[in-house]
Amino acid sequence: MTTLQLLAAEQKSAEVTDWAARIGWLIGIALVVALVYWLMREGWKWRGTLQNDLPELATAPEDPGPVRLTMSGRYHGSTTAGQWLDRIVARGLGTRSRAELTLTDAGLDVVRPGAADFFVPAAALRGARLDKGIAGKVLSEGGLLVVTWQHGDKAIDSGFRSDHAAEHLEWVEALNHMINKTETEGAR
């Protein structure tokens, strides 16, 4: 036999892809992803059930008074005050969304398209500060406006980010001035 005949005799065709095994792996991976998603969803619902003692959120009064400040931006969520990772999901407070904030003498009105709006009465406001994070969102230092307020027997921090971050400091000053004024008038 010649060398050419030996080479021709040794050639084999390429292996055929085992489609059944590949499809089985893809279905297995899809099932694992679906299971993880379902478990995360159940955890979210369970957290809401545990926080079910949170009272209904207030709505804005008919005549809230003159507008002091407005802001367009994003609502990033609410946590237990002082515990930036303890997210509150009850009453829709865990839903991130666009937000329109309006500060009046009556309080802070938060309008959220696609999510439940809420109102924080002036007497319930406890403080405002610039921060870098709240559950699920971390920004550069001072990139987040955090408003602390009292709802029932629970102190809550709510995080907002303006479309124009330069507005944050003005909001902190206005909210804290309003809170100090309300506390001073209440002490008389």
Side-chain angles (χ1 to χ4, degrees):
M1 263 189 166
T2 67
T3 311
L4 199 52
Q5 288 175 335
L6 285 173
L7 286 175
E10 290 181 17
Q11 285 184 351
K12 294 183 180 177
S13 61
E15 279 192 35
V16 177
T17 302
D18 184 4
W19 287 104
R22 283 195 182 191
I23 290 172
W25 274 105
L26 286 174
I27 290 172
I29 290 171
L31 288 173
V32 168
V33 168
L35 175 66
V36 168
Y37 175 77
W38 179 78
L39 288 171
M40 288 175 17
R41 185 170 165 249
E42 290 300 307
W44 186 270
K45 287 174 21 181
W46 179 248
R47 181 174 277 274
T49 302
L50 292 176
Q51 298 169 346
N52 210 18
D53 61 339
L54 196 68
E56 288 291 329
L57 299 172
T59 57
E62 291 286 327
D63 183 23
V67 174
R68 290 182 177 210
L69 285 174
T70 60
M71 178 174 83
S72 293
R74 293 205 55 85
Y75 168 77
H76 287 288
S78 292
T79 62
T80 302
Q83 299 177 15
W84 73 283
L85 291 175
D86 186 22
R87 183 188 298 268
I88 296 174
V89 301
R91 309 288 182 223
L93 289 176
T95 306
R96 287 180 165 186
S97 63
R98 292 282 307 156
E100 298 289 329
L101 274 64
T102 305
L103 182 63
T104 64
D105 290 334
L108 178 65
D109 188 20
V110 181
V111 177
R112 302 185 304 155
D117 301 341
F118 62 94
F119 180 76
V120 181
L125 291 168
R126 297 293 180 258
R129 69 182 185 281
L130 296 179
D131 212 329
K132 64 180 177 181
I134 199 159
K137 187 66 173 182
V138 177
L139 300 162
S140 61
E141 189 66 45
L144 196 65
L145 169 65
V146 177
V147 178
T148 303
W149 52 291
Q150 190 74 32
H151 186 59
D153 62 349
K154 189 169 199 88
I156 298 174
D157 283 342
S158 293
F160 303 94
R161 174 133 174 105
S162 174
D163 291 336
H164 309 285
E167 295 178 332
H168 289 171
L169 191 56
E170 181 181 12
W171 272 83
V172 169
E173 291 171 356
L175 282 163
N176 286 328
H177 176 71
M178 184 175 170
I179 292 163
N180 291 336
K181 183 179 173 186
T182 303
E183 289 174 355
T184 304
E185 290 173 358
R188 289 184 197 179

